[in-house]
Amino acid sequence: MNSSRLMKLLGLIAGVAVLDIVILSPGLLGVEIGGGSPLETASGVTLLVISFLVLLYGSYALLFKPPVLAPVKNMKSHEDYIAALNHYRNAKGLKKDIALALDQLDRIEKKKTTLSDVLGQRFDQAELSYKKFHSVIDAVEQLFYLNIRGILNKLSVFDASEFSTFTSEKKLTQFSNKLVQEKTALNNEYLASVTGYLGANEEILLKLDKLLLEISQLDSTDYQNIEDMPCMKEMDALIKQTKFYKQ
């Protein structure tokens, strides 16, 4: 359970406890169980039953009920993508892919922090060089998250467990070889697309590592322009290529 759900559960428990104390304390509202009128006793017992049911349902909703996923197009924050991928982390046949995607999300955040620290040490934020580096890093980061969106879009329309059921020994005997081949080819196409997005993001992470190394070597390497740095050229080409395909 993540920290957000834990805090909500603790808040729910605290809220129900405070409400019960306020209503059942003799010195406050005066509702007593067993010591007052039958109506007060019934009201007190009803309150406790309702409190128990609220806690029971709230605990289920927060501990076991899967969160409602926001549409992929509405995802904006790093946490949104993590939550969405976690929703699929136990998908049959895709566990390793989802684990890698989550690991990539963790790594890009760390690389961004490291790059920001290094740039802050070498350049003033008002310098043109600093702004050029940051603009390229931001653009490549957008490509990274576009690939994560691509993975999530595939996961939202493809059920790996359905294919696993289809290919069970008993099921295969019910269908023609042609149907089995076509179904298998479609499954492989989906898996290949997910692998492709992961590979593209791994390449982006590698380029960020190269950029970090080149920035650390600026004192010993003479570049007339930042755009002449090999890794900056690679990133710029990647950005332009992606814009071309999106048109």
Side-chain angles (χ1 to χ4, degrees), residues 98-124:
I98 303 304
L100 177 56
L102 288 167
D103 177 64
Q104 289 178 339
L105 280 169
D106 181 57
R107 281 187 282 151
I108 196 169
E109 282 295 291
K110 291 178 180 177
K111 293 184 193 303
K112 276 178 51 188
T113 300
T114 303
L115 280 165
S116 181
D117 291 343
V118 171
L119 288 175
Q121 293 170 10
R122 289 187 168 270
F123 305 99
D124 187 276

Side-chain angles (χ1 to χ4, degrees), residues 8-22 51 55:
K8 289 179 180 179
L9 180 59
L10 292 176
L12 176 64
I13 295 172
V16 171
V18 169
L19 179 64
D20 288 349
I21 291 172
V22 169
S51 298
L55 286 175

Side-chain angles (χ1 to χ4, degrees), residues 221-239:
T221 308
D222 182 23
Y223 292 115
Q224 293 183 347
N225 296 302
I226 288 176
E227 290 84 354
D228 293 333
M229 296 172 65
C231 193
M232 290 290 281
K233 289 182 178 180
E234 291 180 15
M235 288 187 173
D236 188 55
L238 180 63
I239 295 166

